[in-house]
Amino acid sequence: ERAGKPRKVLEVGCGAGAGLNFLSRWEPGSTFVGLDLSQEVVNAANARFSRPPALTYVQGDAEALPFPDGEFDVLLDVESSHNYPNVPQFFREAARGLKPGGCFVHVDLVTDAGDIAIERGRQQTKQLFDWGEQEDISESVRAAAELRG
């Protein structure tokens, strides 16, 4: 459990919603919103996990976030941006949606084409973020998967 001021967290490309549901239980008092392009997936996530006002899911486009500027303290994107047609536009929207000093967590699959798109997006938005470190965690993920059987 995290101590400190409650935060507003957005997961873009939340899919079925289980990951955000898990995270929301670690930070009572904070507000979590999952966004996905598919209304069907959003309906299923709300039916299974929604706990308003702490956790809700909405339909929307990652490249045109349906929220006011500076709405979120944290914006997550886990293994979905490789599906977005315009990654730099998504990064611009992520920056717009964050409060000043907010945190953008971006984790994705890396393919040759995907890496090129992500790197282009990083270059085009380098003035918007302190990008920090980029790390390939593939081997750790494979090892963990093998341990699970």
Side-chain angles (χ1 to χ4, degrees):
E1 187 173 313
R2 179 185 173 277
K5 181 180 158 192
R7 300 186 287 184
K8 190 162 188 184
V9 178
L10 172 65
E11 182 183 11
V12 178
C14 66
L20 193 61
N21 176 55
F22 177 81
L23 288 176
S24 72
R25 295 178 185 281
W26 284 90
E27 200 166 308
S30 290
T31 303
F32 294 81
V33 178
L35 176 131
D36 202 272
L37 188 60
S38 167
Q39 185 65 59
E40 184 178 325
V41 168
V42 166
N43 292 346
N46 273 315
R48 185 163 184 203
F49 299 117
S50 184
R51 298 184 319 277
L55 175 62
T56 57
Y57 299 88
V58 299
Q59 190 278 331
D61 186 338
E63 296 175 16
L65 296 176
F67 305 104
D69 295 359
E71 180 81 3
F72 297 94
D73 299 291
V74 178
L75 192 146
L76 309 168
D77 186 273
V78 179
E79 296 179 349
S80 63
S81 70
H82 63 278
N83 292 308
Y84 305 160
N86 188 336
V87 174
Q89 177 58 27
F90 162 61
F91 289 164
R92 285 188 285 279
E93 280 294 284
R96 183 188 67 76
L98 283 169
K99 292 178 182 176
C103 181
F104 177 39
V105 179
H106 179 250
V107 179
D108 213 331
L109 307 170
V110 178
T111 63
D112 290 342
D115 194 35
I116 291 167
I118 290 168
E119 185 54 35
R120 183 176 354 152
R122 287 169 58 111
Q123 288 303 314
Q124 290 179 16
T125 58
K126 62 185 171 187
Q127 75 283 5
L128 300 175
F129 295 107
D130 174 6
W131 279 101
E133 295 294 318
Q134 182 172 327
E135 183 179 349
D136 182 348
I137 61 169
S138 303
E139 288 306 316
S140 298
V141 171
R142 278 188 203 97
E146 287 175 13
L147 287 174
R148 290 190 78 191

